Amino acid sequence: MKRYFECGNVQIDNRKENAFKYNVTKLDDIINKIILHFDKYPLLTSKNLDYLDFRKVAFMMKDGLHLNEKGMIEILAIKDSMNSKRSFEER
């Protein structure tokens, strides 16, 4: 993945045996490489809902909304509704 996207880092996942994590932390890489890819090749599972939330937060951060309290509260609310915290109906 690191070679494909030409960004990020691969680390050993200490929580699982023989597992690795791929991390991208540069917002520019997230928006111009990762999001660009998943916009072109969307996920076909309920994970797409999490991706859309992730995408929304990335663009909020690009606009600097994470730098004020109102924006940060909205970002945290989005985070708190992602993954296993989604209702069954949303999935």
Side-chain angles (χ1 to χ4, degrees):
M1 290 178 75
K2 182 178 178 177
R3 273 185 265 152
Y4 177 82
F5 287 115
E6 299 178 341
C7 65
N9 293 300
V10 177
Q11 301 171 289
I12 295 172
D13 186 343
N14 294 328
R15 296 174 298 165
K16 300 176 184 175
E17 190 175 325
N18 297 322
F20 296 87
K21 289 182 182 181
Y22 174 64
N23 295 311
V24 179
T25 56
K26 283 181 60 179
L27 186 58
D28 188 58
D29 287 339
I30 290 169
I31 290 173
N32 295 312
K33 295 178 181 180
I34 307 300
I35 288 176
L36 189 69
H37 174 84
F38 285 104
D39 282 351
K40 187 173 182 179
Y41 305 103
L43 297 165
L44 301 177
T45 67
S46 62
K47 279 292 180 187
N48 193 50
L49 298 173
D50 292 325
Y51 163 72
L52 293 173
D53 284 343
F54 171 83
R55 183 184 192 283
K56 180 178 180 178
V57 169
F59 282 102
M60 289 174 70
M61 291 177 69
K62 180 182 178 191
D63 293 339
L65 298 178
H66 65 296
L67 300 174
N68 66 60
E69 186 176 357
K70 182 180 176 190
M72 185 54 74
I73 289 170
E74 186 176 350
I75 288 170
L76 290 173
I78 292 168
K79 176 192 168 287
D80 286 342
S81 69
M82 292 175 70
N83 297 312
S84 61
K85 297 174 185 167
R86 288 194 181 280
S87 69
F88 181 75
E89 291 80 22
E90 287 180 295
R91 294 183 213 173

